Amino acid sequence: MNTSDHAYASGPTSPAAPPKDRTRLWAALTAALFPPAAVAIGVLTLASERASRCLTYGEQCSSTMPGWLFESGIAVGVVALVVALAAPAVRVRRAALAVQALGECAALLAVLGHA
């Protein structure tokens, strides 16, 4: 048996393929799921006792949602989305995806905290 025959018997050796980076996909998916989540959270907020009393009797309507927190969360999410989609480095895209998710969660929690 030749040494060349032995090399083919075990199969050609190839370097392991690098795992696919899907941060751009996850960033786009996270951004696409934010509006339905905000609507669902808004419906949950309207189902609270305080919101029901406000809609029915016009009582306890004085407190308002902290708009700056909601707007800041959305702004951070949008900027992080742009970075996650445009950055060439995988490490930067992953960090931007994490910041995007945290910003969107802060915006959703601001709506939920209003209940």
Side-chain angles (χ1 to χ4, degrees), residues 27-38:
L29 186 64
T30 304
L33 291 177
F34 178 74

Side-chain angles (χ1 to χ4, degrees), residues 47-92:
S48 71
E49 182 181 348
R50 187 172 65 182
S52 298
R53 185 172 296 278
C54 177
L55 289 174
T56 306
Y57 303 112
E59 300 172 355
Q60 297 180 355
C61 296
S62 62
S63 65
T64 60
M65 183 178 72
W68 63 270
L69 183 59
F70 181 74
E71 293 165 359
S72 298
I74 289 178
V76 166
V78 168
V79 169
L81 171 66
V82 170
V83 171
L85 293 177
V90 175
R91 182 181 238 173
V92 174

